[in-house]
Amino acid sequence: MMTHTGMVVLVSGAEMPGGKISVHYLPDGKSDVAADAGDYIYPSDVRMNRGTDVLYIKASGIPAAFGGPQTWLFAYDLQQKRQTKRVQVDPTVLPKQCAELP
């Protein structure tokens, strides 16, 4: 993807055990983890605010060692190249995700 300032950023990740969302900046090669919610809490939705170049990542699951279901939201600023927020939320207050493709 390209930021509004023209910076090219590759975003990758997987909804699976150990899943996290990573960013890789071109051409300087800097890489970072934008969101890692921990074991058994998987990233499931990534969106970008093109006006602010902020990635918003949702991760949900049930931790292996304790507690019930958890949903986390992360904000990663592509210009500052750092995670700016991480907060546990009630999933019922979030907008619906895009439907999965067949």
Side-chain angles (χ1 to χ4, degrees):
M1 68 179 47
M2 186 176 293
T3 66
H4 78 274
T5 61
M7 185 171 24
V8 177
V9 183
L10 301 176
V11 180
S12 62
E15 185 176 6
M16 61 182 280
K20 58 185 119 198
I21 302 298
S22 299
V23 293
H24 182 79
Y25 293 87
L26 299 177
D28 71 4
K30 179 181 176 2
S31 292
D32 197 9
V33 174
D36 183 357
D39 290 340
Y40 301 103
I41 301 177
Y42 314 131
S44 61
D45 196 10
V46 178
R47 300 179 188 204
M48 179 179 170
N49 180 323
R50 294 199 183 274
T52 61
D53 292 335
V54 173
L55 286 180
Y56 294 97
I57 300 114
K58 178 180 117 176
S60 299
I62 301 172
F66 57 90
Q70 295 182 6
T71 299
W72 289 86
L73 288 182
F74 299 83
Y76 186 90
D77 189 311
L78 293 169
Q79 295 297 327
Q80 295 179 24
K81 298 182 180 180
R82 67 182 185 90
Q83 188 181 101
T84 56
K85 290 204 185 226
R86 173 188 169 137
V87 62
Q88 189 173 1
V89 298
D90 177 349
T92 63
V93 302
L94 298 175
K96 298 221 181 268
Q97 287 180 210
C98 298
E100 291 186 15
L101 297 174

